Amino acid sequence: MQRDNGIEARRLAIDSLDDVFSIDPNTLAQRFLRHAPTLAAEAAKKALFESGLESADIGAVVVSTCTGYLCPGLSGYVVERLGLRADVQAFDLVGQGCAAALPNLQLGRALLAANACEHVLSVCVEVCSAAMYLDNDPGVLISACLFGDGAGAAILSCKPVASQRQIEWIDSTSLINPIERKALMFESRDGMLRNVLTRAVPALAATDAHRVLETVLRRADLHTTDVSTWIMHAGGRDVLLALERELPISVHDLRYSKAILREYGNLSSAFVYFVLDAALRGQAPAGWWWLSSFGAGFSCHGALLRAGP
């Protein structure tokens, strides 16, 4: 609130900033219905275009969100707006919070490994302005200062696209700690989503992120110094500071995460797609990359990637 949180700008899908303070169940539900399909479809279209694939090539679509609920789910809107095949496998994942990108990608990888399809469209979309709630709780007020609206998408394929830089998924793991569920969660109050954000979150995120990293690197017989690029969910300024203290990494290693937080705020599940895009556009060096997200549950996920030149 005093402009010392590492965030300079945020994007909200609303027409006017005054609309943020229109907070009631029906208004928020309509806001999600209006904007979530649009954001998800636009991100998906961009990913499809950059892949060089056609809509008919997509065999499965996985859509994650936590800031609203639709039935039928968002995947059907993405299928419709992109003109995907009627027999596409469609999955909607909800309730995984900021961590959702990694479970989404893990499901996509599993579908490819099972030869269920050749190309999977992965989408995370959050309309945080549709999950607004204001009261005097410090966690609620901090949440109102952190989150922005956005969507990210990527396409996973069995075979790399020759014209694109190759990012190969090598290994991943997850850590779920239900005992700490109440540290970070949405609760339903007055028919609306109220974000519970506690002081324990930065330390939990850093500790679990370290454990997940060590597990995967050990299996690959690698060390932290072997990782050239870090694609980390930021959460907020205090989370980044905790990561710097806990992980054997430098301030420079988190430059992409800090840049996205500064420009967009916390985009919840969509955040790491933006960081990955920033690393690609910034021509991050080839070699081992680490992708990690954490959030409600309390959950933490990590994946080891290998980036080509």
Side-chain angles (χ1 to χ4, degrees):
M1 296 177 71
Q2 298 177 348
R3 294 183 62 84
D4 63 347
N5 62 358
I7 299 172
E8 294 295 329
R10 288 184 290 167
R11 273 75 169 172
L12 302 177
I14 53 179
D15 296 323
S16 167
L17 193 58
D18 292 337
D19 293 344
V20 170
F21 302 100
S22 297
I23 303 175
D24 64 78
N26 288 339
T27 297
L28 296 180
Q30 286 300 313
R31 187 175 296 165
F32 186 81
L33 175 60
R34 177 184 176 189
H35 297 296
T38 300
L39 289 172
E42 288 302 313
K45 287 178 182 176
K46 181 179 178 182
L48 189 64
F49 174 78
E50 293 190 355
S51 73
L53 298 172
E54 302 293 334
S55 297
D57 297 322
I58 301 299
V61 55
V62 185
V63 184
S64 297
T65 191
C66 71
T67 47
Y69 175 75
L70 296 177
C71 182
L74 280 168
S75 63
Y77 292 86
V78 174
V79 169
E80 177 185 29
R81 297 189 181 202
L82 267 69
L84 302 183
R85 305 193 319 251
D87 66 345
V88 69
Q89 300 177 72
F91 302 89
D92 287 271
L93 304 182
V94 298
Q96 295 177 312
C98 295
L102 267 291
N104 185 308
L105 294 168
Q106 286 169 331
L107 175 56
R109 180 174 183 261
L111 290 168
L112 296 178
N115 295 317
C117 56
E118 292 186 0
H119 307 286
V120 178
L121 172 60
S122 164
V123 184
C124 280
V125 56
E126 304 295 358
V127 186
C128 296
S129 60
M132 288 293 294
Y133 193 105
L134 293 177
D135 62 24
N136 291 326
D137 179 82
V140 171
L141 294 174
I142 290 172
S143 295
C145 298
L146 290 179
F147 289 93
D149 300 343
I155 293 177
L156 287 70
S157 300
C158 291
K159 298 179 181 179
V161 178
S163 61
Q164 300 293 324
R165 187 175 185 184
Q166 297 178 21
I167 307 294
E168 183 182 3
W169 185 289
I170 302 299
D171 190 14
S172 66
T173 196
S174 297
L175 184 64
I176 311 295
N177 187 3
I179 295 176
E180 300 293 350
R181 180 184 295 127
K182 293 185 178 180
L184 178 62
M185 62 183 292
F186 269 134
E187 65 177 7
S188 180
R189 185 177 293 189
D190 302 322
M192 297 177 290
L193 294 173
R194 179 181 183 272
N195 196 30
V196 176
L197 176 62
T198 67
R199 292 180 179 271
V201 168
L204 282 172
T207 300
D208 288 357
H210 197 179
R211 291 175 61 188
V212 166
L213 172 66
E214 286 186 328
T215 297
V216 175
L217 290 185
R218 188 182 306 115
R219 290 201 296 243
D221 195 24
L222 296 172
H223 301 282
T224 307
T225 52
D226 295 316
V227 178
S228 65
T229 300
W230 300 81
I231 313 298
M232 304 290 290
H233 177 62
R237 177 203 59 190
D238 291 349
V239 171
L240 285 175
L241 291 173
L243 288 172
E244 290 175 8
R245 290 192 296 266
E246 178 71 23
L247 300 178
I249 57 178
S250 69
V251 175
H252 182 70
D253 289 328
L254 293 175
R255 63 192 182 280
Y256 298 119
S257 297
K258 290 182 177 181
I260 296 303
L261 182 67
R262 182 170 57 250
E263 184 64 22
Y264 296 97
N266 186 341
L267 295 163
S268 189
S269 66
F271 190 91
V272 291
Y273 294 83
F274 282 65
V275 182
L276 182 59
D277 183 66
L280 290 169
R281 295 185 184 281
Q283 298 182 333
W288 299 109
W289 291 14
W290 180 252
L291 171 66
S292 185
S293 65
F294 38 81
F298 191 86
S299 62
C300 184
H301 314 274
L304 181 65
L305 311 177
R306 183 160 51 200

